[in-house]
Amino acid sequence: MNTLEQPIPHNELQRLAALKRYNILDTLPDNAFDDATKLVSYICGTPIAHISFIDESRQWFKSEIGIGVTEVPREISFCRYTIMESKMVEISDTHSNERFKNDPNVTGGFKVRFYAGIPLTTPDGYNIGTICAIDHVSKELNDDQRNALSIIGKHVINQLELITKNIDLAAHKKIADRAVFAKDSFLANMSHEIRTPLNAIIGFTDLLAQTQLDSIQRDYIESVQIAEENLLLIINDILDLSKLESGHLTIESYPFNLKNTLKHVYDLLKIKVPKDVEFNLFLDADMPENVIGDQGRLNQILVNLTGNALKFTEDGEVTISVKKVAESADNYSLKFSVKDTGIGIPEDKLKTIFERFTQAEESTTRKFGGTGLGLNIVKQLVNLQNSEIHVKSKEGRGSEFFFILNYKKTAQIEAKEEQLSSNSLGKLNILLCEDNVLNQKLVKSVMHNFGFELDIAENGEVGIDYLSKNKYDLILMDLQMPVKDGYQTTEYIRNEMNLKIPIVAMTAHSLVGEQELCFKIGMNGYVPKPFKQTALLEMIKSVLTKESNPLQKRKVDLSFLEEMSYGDASFKQEMINLFVEKIPNEAVQLEKAFQNNDYNAVRDLAHNMRSSIDIFMLKDLSNYLTIIEEEAKLGRFSSETAEKINFFHSEITEVIKILKELL
């Protein structure tokens, strides 16, 4: 047999390239291929069956029954002949076949008497392997068996194609995820770098506006404040767009006074009304006073729509109207409309007006300004509330934007709000942890106006020293500081000093999940920069006049572990023990690797821990590890990486406490 000339396909180089394209050689067992092999054995009634692939020198078995080896040399395989064919090769009795009767695997070895093999042919026509049925006795397949074998062969190739496409998709997804991560990181850093000085500009302008000014100075200050608000609106639009794209912007649900919200929007925008424009707010007499929903997003939608209407209307009127269109036992359906008599929108532009970076006319960007993001964000915010926004417009005659939102019913809340706003806090001693000199000076002036005493620590370590020597009513905590940042400082105050003092986070960041992280590690409030004095005062009142928001205790979902254990309590216990022993140590190693800028170690640790984390259904922690792993692969850490690792470590500590209670 071995003295015969070895058969080589005429397209051998291309055939080998096609085989390698699938990356199937030397891979782990796969149920899909094993099931196909079992099916071949059952249909053909043979003790031996296999799916194999032939490279330069060997026949490698992806799946086999009755063989017991992973590969054989190519020169002794029957299948080296099968890949030369375009259809099934069937040998009913090898003892009467001139080519095979003296083969070592016929006279001995596997004692092959019957052989049926189909070449595994790729969509582009290359035979890369075989699917075979083998027996120790002579036999002949019927037509149904031959057809079934052919169908299974096509199934194997389809499975290879699917695996390859999934790998390609995963690779493209990884590239896309990296691009999104890079963009989000850039936007987050841009947010911090712009918001920090903008916070000082807005704050000091507000303080200046509270002093004695002549009419010219007052006019200048008001112009600066309008410019500040426009700049802040652009920054917020860009950041909201990023959150919407990543799916991290959510609609909240809490009670609020609807009429007050609408009047606030009206009062906020009426200072921008051109002199020849009449600005109206019409509220339905049946409209509810209080509802449950997202006040902030409604505010954002109406400010965007009304701001546009005022910007594009030089004479005539702009009207905000709200009407109750339906009511059930639990909900109100309200129609919101913003109508103007402005320049209108050409009919051919109506379908694209909600696309990002789009305005009805290119000239409007230069004449009226704006990013072209507002309407796109409005559309997505309305969609997130299970509704749609519509527009009617005539060029030169004006436009109307309208949508219907459903709000849950609620009890009256005015009394509570009035009590809170009239509450007097008296003289407070406050500690500010902040490294930026301008922001230190700003907060000091604001606190002085409030009648509060303020001590300033330029980083968390200094703040801890102040806390050990003095008594304070509240801490204002910047998140990004040298030596000890806001997260590390808060954890030390809560866990090492065991202090319950209210802590309010103040940050120029606008990161997804940042507010949640602040609450998780023990902060009581959160004020983004640039802050308004009224918003800061209300937050201080809020955390001092009620108990800290009780944090929901983390829950550990053991359903997947229980499914894996098949009722074996000892297995479940062993898995919990392994997690408790292993993960805290690896979390410490992760922190050390990050501090040493060891990207490879961080990448490997994050990747390895994720499989254990997934068993316990800790989806948020798994997501953090995925992001940390991607950052390590990119070879670029940031302060946000430190925040994620700190959060992960603190949450793992909580998980371990819960699991130890189960031991």
Side-chain angles (χ1 to χ4, degrees):
M1 177 77 182
N2 292 338
T3 59
L4 294 175
E5 184 180 350
Q6 297 302 313
I8 301 293
H10 67 89
N11 57 3
E12 178 69 355
L13 291 178
Q14 294 91 333
R15 188 192 74 82
L16 291 173
L19 172 61
K20 290 177 181 177
R21 187 174 69 238
Y22 288 108
N23 290 312
I24 191 67
L25 295 174
D26 301 307
T27 54
L28 294 171
D30 188 307
N31 288 336
F33 292 96
D34 291 343
D35 289 345
T37 303
K38 291 174 187 175
L39 194 58
V40 169
S41 174
Y42 173 77
I43 290 171
C44 297
T46 60
I48 301 174
H50 67 73
I51 296 170
S52 64
F53 300 94
I54 299 175
D55 65 9
E56 297 93 333
S57 60
R58 60 178 175 154
Q59 178 180 10
W60 178 77
F61 300 104
K62 173 62 180 173
S63 177
E64 54 83 18
I65 293 174
I67 294 177
V69 296
T70 58
E71 60 183 64
V72 296
R74 177 172 174 172
E75 60 266 21
I76 68 167
S77 71
F78 280 35
C79 294
R80 71 189 190 276
Y81 294 101
T82 304
I83 63 171
M84 302 289 294
E85 305 295 333
S86 59
K87 58 184 180 179
M88 179 185 293
V89 173
E90 183 178 353
I91 304 170
S92 299
D93 188 351
T94 56
H95 290 182
S96 59
N97 185 284
E98 288 299 320
R99 175 176 282 173
F100 294 108
K101 66 182 181 180
N102 296 320
D103 189 284
N105 278 319
V106 173
T107 59
F110 293 113
K111 295 184 179 180
V112 177
R113 190 73 181 268
F114 166 78
Y115 172 90
I118 287 184
L120 295 174
T121 307
T122 66
D124 45 359
Y126 299 109
N127 294 341
I128 59 174
T130 61
I131 183 166
C132 300
I134 298 170
D135 208 335
H136 306 304
V137 296
S138 62
K139 63 169 48 181
E140 186 173 340
L141 300 180
N142 59 40
D143 287 342
D144 289 339
Q145 290 171 317
R146 294 186 186 101
N147 286 336
L149 202 58
S150 177
I151 291 169
I152 296 171
K154 291 175 182 176
H155 167 75
V156 169
I157 286 294
N158 289 338
Q159 188 68 22
L160 286 176
E161 285 288 311
L162 182 62
I163 291 170
T164 303
K165 285 181 171 63
N166 285 340
I167 290 172
D168 289 342
L169 283 172
H172 284 103
K173 182 179 182 300
K174 186 173 287 188
I175 292 170
D177 287 345
R178 287 182 179 178
V180 170
F181 171 75
K183 182 200 70 177
D184 287 347
S185 295
F186 167 76
L187 289 174
N189 289 329
M190 182 195 74
S191 165
H192 182 267
E193 294 304 317
I194 294 177
R195 282 171 178 265
T196 297
L198 186 58
N199 178 56
I201 293 168
I202 291 176
F204 284 118
T205 306
D206 287 347
L207 289 173
L208 189 57
Q210 296 169 22
T211 63
Q212 293 294 324
L213 302 171
D214 60 36
S215 59
I216 296 176
Q217 291 170 331
R218 177 71 59 188
D219 183 53
Y220 289 166
I221 288 295
E222 288 175 355
S223 297
V224 171
Q225 288 177 318
I226 291 171
E228 292 166 353
E229 289 177 6
N230 289 338
L231 179 57
L232 188 57
L233 185 64
I234 291 170
I235 295 169
N236 289 337
D237 276 353
I238 295 170
L239 293 168
D240 278 347
L241 182 66
S242 173
K243 291 179 184 177
L244 283 162
E245 282 183 341
S246 61
H248 288 124
L249 195 149
T250 57
I251 298 299
E252 297 180 350
S253 185
Y254 50 86
F256 69 94
N257 188 298
L258 179 59
K259 288 188 176 179
N260 286 350
T261 298
L262 295 167
K263 288 175 182 175
H264 170 74
V265 171
Y266 178 77
D267 291 339
L268 180 70
L269 293 172
K270 69 181 180 182
I271 60 172
K272 300 182 179 180
V273 178
K275 63 178 181 178
D276 295 327
V277 173
E278 182 181 343
F279 185 33
N280 304 304
L281 173 64
F282 293 148
L283 303 181
D284 187 359
D286 293 333
M287 191 190 80
E289 189 88 6
N290 305 296
V291 294
I292 295 177
D294 196 323
Q295 177 186 19
R297 296 307 171 190
L298 175 62
N299 195 328
Q300 187 176 3
I301 292 167
L302 293 177
V303 167
N304 252 311
L305 292 177
T306 311
N308 270 354
L310 291 170
K311 182 166 65 174
F312 296 122
T313 304
E314 296 180 349
D315 57 67
E317 61 182 11
V318 171
T319 301
I320 304 173
S321 62
V322 184
K323 182 179 182 180
K324 184 178 75 174
V325 293
E327 180 180 356
S328 66
D330 301 316
N331 298 286
Y332 297 109
S333 292
L334 305 175
K335 180 180 178 181
F336 297 85
S337 167
V338 177
K339 191 173 184 179
D340 66 66
T341 57
I343 63 175
I345 304 167
E347 189 172 349
D348 62 333
K349 300 290 185 180
L350 285 174
K351 291 183 179 179
T352 62
I353 195 67
F354 292 106
E355 293 177 6
R356 70 189 58 172
F357 308 114
T358 299
Q359 293 189 334
E361 295 288 347
E362 290 183 6
S363 60
T364 59
T365 303
R366 293 187 295 273
K367 183 176 180 181
F368 297 100
T371 61
L373 293 174
L375 287 179
N376 178 261
I377 292 170
V378 164
K379 179 178 184 291
Q380 294 190 67
L381 289 176
V382 172
N383 290 348
L384 276 174
Q385 297 178 77
N386 301 313
S387 185
E388 293 182 354
I389 186 165
H390 305 278
V391 58
K392 295 189 295 187
S393 186
K394 290 287 185 182
E395 192 171 6
R397 297 177 61 182
S399 307
E400 181 184 11
F401 291 83
F402 57 95
F403 55 94
I404 294 174
L405 295 181
N406 293 316
Y407 288 109
K408 291 182 180 179
K409 292 183 175 181
T410 184
Q412 297 293 317
I413 58 175
E414 292 83 0
K416 183 179 177 181
E417 289 181 344
E418 186 179 346
Q419 181 182 0
L420 181 64
S421 61
S422 63
N423 180 58
S424 176
L425 297 174
K427 189 173 183 180
L428 299 178
N429 289 318
I430 293 177
L431 174 63
L432 170 67
C433 295
E434 167 69 69
D435 64 310
N436 185 280
V437 176
L438 276 176
N439 284 333
Q440 289 175 359
K441 188 175 180 182
L442 170 63
V443 176
K444 186 174 183 179
S445 298
V446 171
M447 292 300 110
H448 177 75
N449 284 353
F450 292 162
F452 303 155
E453 296 292 329
L454 185 75
D455 284 341
I456 298 173
E458 61 268 26
N459 60 60
E461 205 162 88
V462 175
I464 289 168
D465 184 55
Y466 273 116
L467 277 172
S468 65
K469 297 174 182 176
N470 306 310
K471 181 174 176 59
Y472 297 99
D473 299 296
L474 177 120
I475 301 172
L476 299 176
M477 184 74 71
D478 185 33
L479 297 182
Q480 258 201 334
M481 294 181 292
V483 186
K484 235 182 183 44
D485 64 27
Y487 295 105
Q488 295 166 330
T489 306
T490 300
E491 287 180 325
Y492 188 89
I493 292 169
R494 296 296 187 230
N495 301 327
E496 302 298 326
M497 303 180 76
N498 293 317
L499 295 178
K500 304 299 183 184
I501 180 173
I503 301 175
V504 174
M506 298 179 69
T507 177
H509 273 164
S510 185
L511 297 173
V512 172
E514 184 178 60
Q515 188 169 348
E516 178 189 356
L517 174 56
C518 290
F519 290 137
K520 285 283 187 183
I521 64 171
M523 296 186 189
N524 307 84
Y526 181 95
V527 176
K529 300 175 185 173
F531 64 82
K532 288 289 185 181
Q533 294 180 44
T534 52
L536 178 58
L537 182 59
E538 285 304 312
M539 180 55 67
I540 292 173
K541 286 181 181 179
S542 176
V543 299
L544 288 175
T545 55
K546 65 180 180 181
E547 293 182 5
S548 303
N549 291 330
L551 297 177
Q552 290 186 351
K553 186 176 180 181
R554 173 176 282 280
K555 295 179 181 178
V556 180
D557 186 351
L558 299 179
S559 59
F560 182 70
L561 179 59
E562 287 166 354
E563 185 179 330
M564 288 174 58
S565 68
Y566 290 100
D568 186 345
S570 61
F571 173 80
K572 177 180 169 183
Q573 198 75 13
E574 183 182 356
M575 291 296 288
I576 294 174
N577 282 331
L578 284 171
F579 188 93
V580 170
E581 292 171 9
K582 173 186 170 188
I583 295 300
N585 292 331
E586 291 188 350
V588 171
Q589 293 173 32
L590 183 70
E591 278 193 306
K592 289 181 179 177
F594 168 72
Q595 290 165 3
N596 295 330
N597 281 325
D598 189 340
Y599 298 109
N600 291 335
V602 169
R603 179 198 64 205
D604 294 342
L605 283 163
H607 182 81
N608 293 335
M609 276 193 285
R610 202 166 70 242
S611 59
S612 300
I613 294 294
D614 288 340
I615 290 174
F616 289 84
M617 307 288 282
L618 301 167
K619 186 176 179 182
D620 59 330
L621 300 188
S622 180
N623 289 340
Y624 271 93
L625 287 175
T626 299
I627 296 170
I628 292 166
E629 182 185 354
E630 289 301 315
E631 290 174 329
K633 286 179 181 177
L634 292 171
R636 186 171 63 247
F637 290 144
S638 65
S639 59
E640 286 79 46
T641 315
E643 292 164 8
K644 292 181 181 72
I645 290 174
N646 287 339
F647 175 70
F648 177 80
H649 199 166
S650 66
E651 287 301 293
I652 281 298
T653 303
E654 180 66 22
V655 170
I656 296 300
K657 287 179 184 176
I658 296 170
L659 290 177
K660 282 183 175 178
E661 293 173 1
L662 301 176
L663 295 177

